């Protein structure tokens, strides 16, 4: 909003088509600046000359929040009047409260698919990254006034599912998770790992798998009964993990219910000459030379992953008529989604352009790449449990009298903050190196550190019984200025995050705000400020900081704590 004012002033000099200003990093360059290099190129003039020219022409209105405009090098620099600026900012934040930075105007209907597990094994840290990104992006889009539908496709049939089933059938001896006292999704996952081991010793097992898959597709009673039993186990275990982690969905779609619904799309594609038979008898989507061709129906008639995705996309768009469909899926599937969207385009679905793959990188371990098949994986439940233990130890160092129940509750909240933040602060497209020991460090660029800053604000405000808002301070200190300026940047950070779908922006911002606040608090007396007016002004600042930190945490999917 202050950028708009600076832009307006800039335009009084006669230049046009300027839409963005820079936020300089050094104080001497003021609060916003306009670099003249582009204009210089266009006009073939010296940029410093242009900057001087602009400043000599512009008119700053009397009551403007911009106090002065100066040339430094080839930049036109705008300096705020911080008393006015902070008055306006505090008024906005304290009146809009948790809506500050958000929007309630009706916008788009957006469906976001995330997590989407296979039901042959429990969730691992890769799913937690997926969920963290999916939830955070959903929260941000919702905050900006969009209607968000959260969904997942549960891949509950196919070769990988048959593997754990076959292992159980052969070597399970009728054991159950209840009798074995193992969490049911882990119980099933153990059979999956067992199968992969046995397969190495005996490659012939491959044939049994295909026989089982065939039986499943033909509705064989025995196979279906086993499938229902084991899927039920996995899903109940997963639900528990989702509840613990806070992953929320409006609904799930099960692959078993939709996998054979795409037949008419295949016919349509043949008619439109998008799909053709190859020499081996497979039906293939012609995508070359732009992309590799893609098999959409195997010669033996078994269904293919991408074909299910074609009909799933169509079902979703027909039923929900959304403006945008976001798939949060690992970067290993980049090609898959390129091919999928291209096929949808070739088939003539107008909405193909509304599909977006939010691709994210792997989560690697210090020991290398995770592989569930080999049991080298950070299990989601284990991770949450271990981090909770670490958090509890930290809490006990500070608070020996805490009740058991509270310790558990607070420990979990802090542990989840650590995990979510660790996974969110890396740009989605980059890989994360997950070092279980580092994630829960409670200092520096971590989730608990942000929770701590929030808690500090809350505690300060709780301590003072009576205070009144005071938005005006005539002589602002650098620490106060910096805090106001950081608070003022929140709305644009939110917009950027939603444009680029990169929740790491919010993490960076929340970290910066926490640091700025801590600096302010270390250098300024708040409750014992020199005058009552100053005390009320600083308490208003603390209140505004608390509001914005609470929003950041909420958007990252992190809960607040009252004590740490
Ligand atoms: N279950 C799949 C996997 O674990 C991911 C599904 C992604 N979503 C989709 N619509 N293809 O690899």
């Amino acid at each position: 909003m202050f950028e708009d004012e600076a832009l307006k002033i800039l335009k009084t000099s006669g230049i046009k088509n300027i839409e963005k200003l820079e936020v300089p990093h050094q104080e001497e360059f003021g609060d916003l600046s306009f670099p003249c290099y582009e204009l210089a190129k266009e006009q073939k003039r010296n940029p410093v000359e242009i900057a001087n020219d602009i400043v000599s022409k512009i008119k700053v209105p009397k009551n403007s929040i911009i106090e002065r405009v100066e040339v430094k090098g080839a930049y036109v620099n705008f300096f705020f009047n911080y008393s006015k600026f902070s008055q306006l900012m505090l008024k906005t934040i304290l009146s809009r409260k948790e809506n500050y930075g958000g929007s309630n105007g009706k916008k788009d209907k957006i469906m976001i698919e995330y997590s989407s597990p296979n039901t042959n094994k429990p969730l691992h840290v890769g799913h937690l990254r997926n969920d963290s990104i999916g939830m955070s992006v959903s929260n941000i889009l919702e905050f900006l006034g969009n209607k968000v539908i959260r969904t997942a496709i549960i891949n509950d049939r196919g070769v990988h599912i048959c593997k754990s089933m076959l292992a159980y059938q052969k070597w399970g001896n009728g054991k159950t998770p209840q009798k074995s006292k193992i969490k049911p999704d882990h119980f099933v996952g153990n059979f999956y790992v067992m199968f992969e081991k046995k397969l190495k010793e005996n490659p012939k097992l491959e044939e049994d798998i295909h026989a089982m898959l065939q039986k499943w597709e033909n509705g064989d009673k025995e196979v279906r009964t086993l499938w229902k039993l084991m899927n039920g186990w996995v899903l109940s275990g997963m639900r528990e993990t989702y509840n613990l982690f806070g992953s929320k969905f409006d609904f799930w779609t099960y692959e078993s219910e939709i996998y054979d619904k795409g037949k008419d799309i295949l016919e349509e594609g043949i008619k439109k000459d998008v799909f053709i038979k190859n020499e081996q008898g497979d039906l293939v989507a012609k995508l070359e030379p732009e992309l590799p061709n893609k098999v959409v129906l195997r010669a033996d008639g078994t269904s293919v992953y991408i074909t299910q995705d074609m009909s799933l996309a169509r079902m979703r768009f027909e039923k929900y008529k959304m403006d945008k469909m976001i798939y949060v899926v690992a970067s290993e599937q980049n090609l898959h989604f390129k091919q999928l969207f291209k096929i949808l385009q070739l088939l003539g679905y107008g909405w193909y352009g509304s599909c977006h793959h939010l691709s994210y990188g792997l989560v690697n371990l210090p020991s290398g790449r995770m592989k569930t098949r080999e049991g080298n994986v950070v299990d989601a439940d284990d991770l949450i449990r271990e981090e909770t233990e670490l958090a509890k130890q930290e809490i006990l160092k500070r608070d020996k009298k805490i009740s058991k129940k509270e310790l558990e509750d607070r420990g979990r909240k802090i542990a989840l903050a650590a995990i979510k933040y660790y996974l969110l602060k890396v740009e989605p497209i980059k890989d994360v190196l997950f070092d279980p020991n580092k994630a829960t460090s409670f200092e520096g660029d971590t989730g608990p550190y942000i929770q701590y800053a929030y808690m500090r604000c809350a505690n300060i405000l709780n301590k003072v019984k009576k205070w009144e808002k005071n938005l005006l301070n005539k002589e602002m200190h650098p620490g106060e200025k910096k805090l106001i300026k950081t608070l003022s940047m929140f709305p644009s950070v939110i917009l950027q995050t939603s444009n680029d779908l990169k929740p790491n922006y919010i993490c960076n911002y929340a970290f910066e705000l926490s640091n700025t606040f801590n600096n302010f608090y270390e250098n300024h007396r708040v409750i014992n400020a020199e005058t009552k007016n100053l005390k009320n002004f600083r308490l208003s600042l603390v209140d505004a900081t608390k509001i914005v930190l609470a929003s950041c945490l909420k958007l990252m999917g992190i809960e607040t704590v009252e004590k740490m």
Side-chain angles (χ1 to χ4, degrees), residues 113 115-118 121 127 153-155 305 309 312 316 327-329 333 336-337 340:
E113 184 213 283
S115 210
S116 296
N118 301 336
K121 53 181 194 221
H127 291 106
I153 169 87
I154 309 291
N155 294 109
Y305 181 52
D309 258 330
L312 179 60
R316 284 167 168 167
Y327 297 86
V328 184
V329 182
Q333 298 190 29
H336 168 81
F337 282 100
L340 174 65

Side-chain angles (χ1 to χ4, degrees), residues 67-318:
E67 193 170 62
R68 59 199 160 92
V69 188
E70 282 176 6
V71 177
K72 287 247 158 67
Y75 289 82
V76 176
N77 303 289
F78 296 84
F79 293 79
F80 291 161
N81 173 328
Y82 266 90
S83 301
K84 277 190 197 157
F85 181 38
S86 70
Q87 196 180 20
L88 249 165
M89 273 325 306
L90 288 175
K91 190 172 155 209
T92 309
I93 300 173
L94 297 183
S95 63
R96 294 208 64 205
K97 298 203 171 68
E98 69 272 17
N99 296 319
Y100 167 63
S103 151
N104 40 23
K106 272 229 169 75
K107 291 233 179 100
D108 290 339
K109 193 196 254 187
I110 303 175
M111 182 177 281
I112 173 158
E113 184 213 283
Y114 63 90
S115 210
S116 296
N118 301 336
T119 57
N120 58 333
K121 53 181 194 221
L123 303 171
H124 54 67
V125 64
H127 291 106
L128 296 186
R129 183 174 193 199
N130 184 317
D131 286 26
S132 301
I133 295 173
M135 289 195 287
S136 169
V137 167
S138 303
N139 293 343
I140 290 155
L141 294 172
E142 214 160 52
F143 188 56
L144 287 173
N146 301 288
K147 161 108 186 81
V148 177
I149 306 169
R150 297 158 168 86
T151 190
I153 169 87
I154 309 291
N155 294 109
D156 61 348
R157 47 135 261 129
V159 172
H160 51 295
I161 309 296
C162 285
K163 286 180 176 172
S164 34
M165 284 164 61
L166 196 71
Y168 181 73
Q169 203 178 47
K170 282 190 185 300
W171 307 293
N173 301 323
K175 283 186 207 149
T176 64
Q178 291 79 11
K179 274 193 254 162
S180 322
K181 295 203 168 51
I182 298 178
K183 191 167 172 276
D185 46 342
H186 290 242
F187 181 85
V188 174
N190 292 346
F191 282 101
Y192 179 69
V193 174
M194 181 194 285
F195 180 87
E196 292 292 350
K197 265 198 207 126
K198 301 260 184 188
L199 181 66
K200 273 198 189 135
E201 295 157 17
N202 176 12
K204 277 228 177 86
L205 285 170
E206 201 75 59
E207 289 161 24
D208 296 356
I209 286 292
H210 285 285
M212 189 177 229
L213 190 62
Q214 213 93 72
K215 278 189 177 171
W216 186 92
E217 295 210 356
N218 295 334
D220 177 278
K221 245 192 162 163
E222 199 185 326
V223 171
R224 286 281 180 146
T225 307
L226 177 64
W227 171 74
K228 272 202 185 124
L229 178 71
M230 293 182 74
N231 255 339
W233 284 338
V234 172
L235 287 172
S236 77
M238 281 180 178
R239 278 201 189 92
E240 213 178 286
T241 312
Y242 283 137
N243 278 340
L244 187 63
F245 198 62
S247 309
K248 299 230 164 39
F249 302 91
D250 293 301
F251 66 89
W252 285 347
T253 304
Y254 297 88
E255 180 186 333
S256 57
E257 289 170 9
I258 57 128
Y259 80 102
D260 56 354
K261 296 260 187 313
K263 298 269 149 67
D264 63 304
I265 297 192
L266 294 178
E267 278 153 32
E268 195 187 323
I270 295 170
K271 258 195 230 136
K272 291 185 173 162
D273 200 32
V274 179
F275 303 148
I276 47 160
K277 274 229 163 94
N278 69 6
E279 283 145 34
Q280 292 84 37
D282 303 320
L283 193 63
V284 177
K286 293 192 290 181
L287 306 175
E288 278 166 10
E290 191 183 330
L291 291 164
N293 285 349
K294 180 75 192 170
V295 173
V296 293
L297 183 69
R298 286 195 206 97
D300 65 4
T302 48
S303 70
V304 184
Y305 181 52
I306 199 161
T307 311
Q308 294 167 33
D309 258 330
M310 298 185 300
S311 64
L312 179 60
R314 187 181 59 175
M315 273 166 42
R316 284 167 168 167
F317 274 97
E318 276 175 1

Side-chain angles (χ1 to χ4, degrees), residues 31 78 94-95 114 154 177 240 307 325 333 354 363 380 502 510 524 531 538 558:
D31 298 296
F78 296 84
L94 297 183
S95 63
Y114 63 90
I154 309 291
E240 213 178 286
T307 311
M325 172 74 225
Q333 298 190 29
S354 309
V363 182
K502 289 182 182 173
H524 300 79
T531 64
R538 288 186 181 154
I558 296 175

Side-chain angles (χ1 to χ4, degrees), residues 278-514:
N278 69 6
E279 283 145 34
Q280 292 84 37
D282 303 320
L283 193 63
V284 177
K286 293 192 290 181
L287 306 175
E288 278 166 10
E290 191 183 330
L291 291 164
N293 285 349
K294 180 75 192 170
V295 173
V296 293
L297 183 69
R298 286 195 206 97
D300 65 4
T302 48
S303 70
V304 184
Y305 181 52
I306 199 161
T307 311
Q308 294 167 33
D309 258 330
M310 298 185 300
S311 64
L312 179 60
R314 187 181 59 175
M315 273 166 42
R316 284 167 168 167
F317 274 97
E318 276 175 1
K319 180 153 183 207
Y320 294 95
K321 305 196 168 33
M322 55 283 189
D323 303 288
K324 196 169 180 177
M325 172 74 225
I326 299 174
Y327 297 86
V328 184
V329 182
S331 55
E332 293 167 309
Q333 298 190 29
N334 282 354
L335 179 60
H336 168 81
F337 282 100
K338 277 194 191 135
Q339 290 172 315
L340 174 65
F341 299 161
K342 187 72 205 177
I343 291 172
L344 295 172
Q345 178 186 8
L346 292 174
L347 288 172
Y349 294 120
W351 39 259
Y352 82 92
S354 309
C355 296
H356 178 82
H357 175 204
L358 201 177
S359 172
Y360 65 90
L362 298 172
V363 182
N364 293 313
L365 302 178
S367 60
R369 195 169 162 175
M370 286 205 304
K371 286 219 176 81
T372 311
R373 264 180 271 168
E374 291 161 19
N376 171 26
V377 58
V378 176
D379 174 79
D381 295 316
D382 290 349
L383 178 71
I384 297 172
R385 191 176 345 96
E386 282 159 24
E387 301 287 290
T388 304
E389 280 316 308
L390 288 174
K392 279 159 67 179
Q393 285 167 20
E394 251 342 275
I395 296 167
L396 281 174
K397 277 190 213 158
R398 292 153 213 222
D399 186 353
K400 298 216 163 52
K401 288 194 209 117
I402 187 169
S403 77
K404 241 188 152 176
K405 189 166 162 270
E406 235 200 288
L407 180 64
E408 199 55 50
D409 184 57
R410 213 187 290 163
R412 183 183 46 88
K413 284 181 182 159
I414 294 175
L416 292 183
I419 298 171
K420 289 179 186 178
Y421 189 90
Y422 194 92
L423 296 171
L424 281 177
K425 76 171 176 176
V426 178
E427 189 181 344
I429 201 61
K430 293 194 180 133
D431 292 351
V432 171
L433 177 66
F434 196 89
D435 187 340
N437 296 318
K438 275 200 196 131
T440 29
S441 158
F442 287 11
E443 268 140 56
D445 192 8
T446 66
Y449 179 75
I450 317 288
Q451 279 178 318
Y452 186 76
Y454 167 85
M455 182 203 73
R456 245 177 149 180
C457 296
N459 285 351
I460 296 167
L461 295 168
N462 284 340
K463 242 191 253 163
V464 269
K465 286 179 194 78
K466 260 172 98 191
W467 68 282
E468 280 159 26
K469 275 187 226 169
N470 174 19
L471 313 184
L472 187 64
N473 177 11
K474 290 242 167 76
E475 282 165 65
M476 298 269 294
H477 291 229
E480 296 167 325
K481 286 186 184 172
K482 176 106 199 282
L483 187 52
I484 277 291
K485 189 163 185 193
T486 309
L487 290 169
S488 79
M489 270 145 51
F490 179 64
S492 71
V493 171
I494 296 297
L495 280 180
Q496 282 267 333
T497 312
S498 101
N499 283 340
D500 299 355
L501 301 179
K502 289 182 182 173
N504 52 303
Y505 295 166
I506 297 209
C507 299
N508 290 344
Y509 173 78
F511 183 49
E512 191 186 326
L513 179 57
S514 302

